[in-house]
């Protein structure tokens, strides 16, 4: 039996996760994910739909529809994948629980990267058991040129102790914070939902496969 496809013993995997309601998933989510995956040379970046996000409004469409749209969106995109574990939980989607679950499936030396937007990062002190996140992962913050929110003092102290300037050379499986600069696409899920509710087209704002799913299931349309 050939062992040609067996990973080399001791090879370190690099896995990223990007959570969100994806209500619906759009080109902004996907472009950010792909850029991070390529820049960081990740083995995979998992899009992780939230079931009941504690800090956001309840998603407009059902979890199975949001999951199906993300699966359609990444079906033929190398490096990007879908992780549905939060949708299987009958409780709020706490990131610390997800990190513990994924970390338990990885090797001790594998690197796990939690990808956050700047606004989400600034809100970390309000997250459940947020001080424990770096025990399980590195944090990559998507920093934008127009970011004007100052981090709270608790995060300033954490950044002083844990930040690294080069995200591509973060050492070890977890424990550090770094920034990835991106110019975001000016598109939002709220904008897409509003366009659909008013009967307007969202073509080119979402992948064609996602648009086909939205149309086939009449999602986000205003009631007749």
């Amino acid at each position: 039996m050939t062992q040609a496809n067996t990973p080399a013993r001791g090879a370190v995997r690099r896995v990223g996760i990007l959570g969100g309601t994806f209500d619906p998933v759009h080109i902004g989510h996907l472009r950010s994910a792909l850029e991070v995956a390529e820049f960081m040379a990740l083995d995979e970046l998992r899009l992780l739909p939230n079931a009941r996000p504690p800090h956001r409004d309840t998603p407009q469409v059902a979890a199975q529809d949001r999951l199906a749209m993300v699966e359609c969106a990444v079906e033929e995109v190398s490096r990007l994948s879908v992780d549905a574990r939060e949708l299987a939980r009958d409780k709020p989607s706490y990131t610390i629980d997800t990190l513990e679950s994924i970390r338990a499936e990885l090797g001790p030396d594998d690197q796990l990267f939690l990808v956050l937007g700047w606004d989400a990062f600034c809100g970390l002190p309000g997250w459940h058991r947020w001080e424990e996140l770096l025990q399980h992962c590195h944090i990559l913050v998507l920093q934008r040129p127009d970011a004007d929110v100052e981090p709270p003092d608790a995060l300033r102290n954490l950044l002083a102790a844990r930040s690294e300037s080069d995200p591509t050379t973060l050492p070890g499986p977890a424990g550090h914070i770094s920034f990835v600069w991106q110019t975001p696409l000016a598109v939002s899920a709220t904008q897409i939902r509003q366009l659909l509710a008013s009967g307007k087209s969202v073509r080119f704002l979402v992948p064609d496969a996602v648009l086909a799913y939205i149309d086939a299931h009449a999602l986000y349309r205003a009631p007749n």
Side-chain angles (χ1 to χ4, degrees):
M1 178 182 295
T2 179
Q3 299 294 318
N5 295 324
T6 302
R9 183 179 299 276
V12 173
R13 295 191 67 222
R14 294 163 61 83
V15 177
I17 58 171
L18 174 63
T21 51
F22 302 123
D23 189 26
V25 64
H26 56 67
I27 60 170
H29 298 132
L30 298 165
R31 185 63 202 173
S32 289
L34 186 59
E35 286 184 7
V36 170
E38 292 184 338
F39 177 71
M40 293 295 297
L42 300 181
D43 294 291
E44 65 172 323
L45 192 150
R46 304 178 185 179
L47 298 182
L48 202 136
N50 304 143
R52 292 164 54 193
H55 304 287
R56 302 190 63 172
D57 293 337
T58 300
Q60 187 168 324
V61 305
Q64 62 266 29
D65 287 320
R66 293 185 291 114
L67 174 61
M69 287 187 285
V70 178
E71 289 174 339
C72 289
V74 306
E75 185 174 4
E76 298 182 1
V77 184
S78 62
R79 293 186 190 266
L80 300 188
S81 61
V82 183
D83 190 319
R85 74 185 64 217
E86 290 196 355
L87 300 181
R89 294 193 200 126
D90 186 24
K91 62 179 182 178
S93 301
Y94 290 127
T95 299
I96 186 64
D97 295 333
T98 299
L99 291 173
E100 288 177 337
S101 175
I102 295 175
R103 173 54 67 189
E105 298 168 2
L106 298 176
D109 297 324
D110 290 342
Q111 292 188 304
L112 181 59
F113 301 90
L114 174 63
V115 181
L116 297 175
W118 176 246
D119 291 343
F121 177 71
C122 289
L124 274 188
W127 289 26
H128 181 58
R129 293 167 56 198
W130 74 278
E131 302 95 330
E132 301 174 35
L133 297 176
L134 288 174
Q135 295 177 17
H136 306 286
C137 68
H138 297 297
I139 294 177
L140 297 178
V141 184
L142 302 181
Q143 179 68 292
R144 307 179 314 198
D146 60 345
D148 56 3
V149 178
E150 289 294 322
D153 288 342
L155 282 183
R156 292 186 188 187
N157 296 334
L158 187 66
L159 284 168
R162 298 294 189 95
S163 64
E164 296 284 343
S165 59
D166 186 351
T168 64
T169 60
L170 293 179
H176 298 281
I177 302 168
S178 196
F179 293 84
V180 177
W181 285 88
Q182 288 195 323
T183 302
L185 298 173
V187 56
S188 72
T190 299
Q191 170 197 18
I192 291 169
R193 293 195 300 270
Q194 290 172 344
L195 287 170
L196 289 167
S198 63
K200 295 178 181 177
S201 174
V202 296
R203 192 174 186 195
F204 307 126
L205 296 177
V206 299
D208 287 346
V210 173
L211 180 56
Y213 187 94
I214 290 172
D215 288 343
H217 295 81
L219 301 180
Y220 306 110
R221 308 295 185 186
N224 294 326

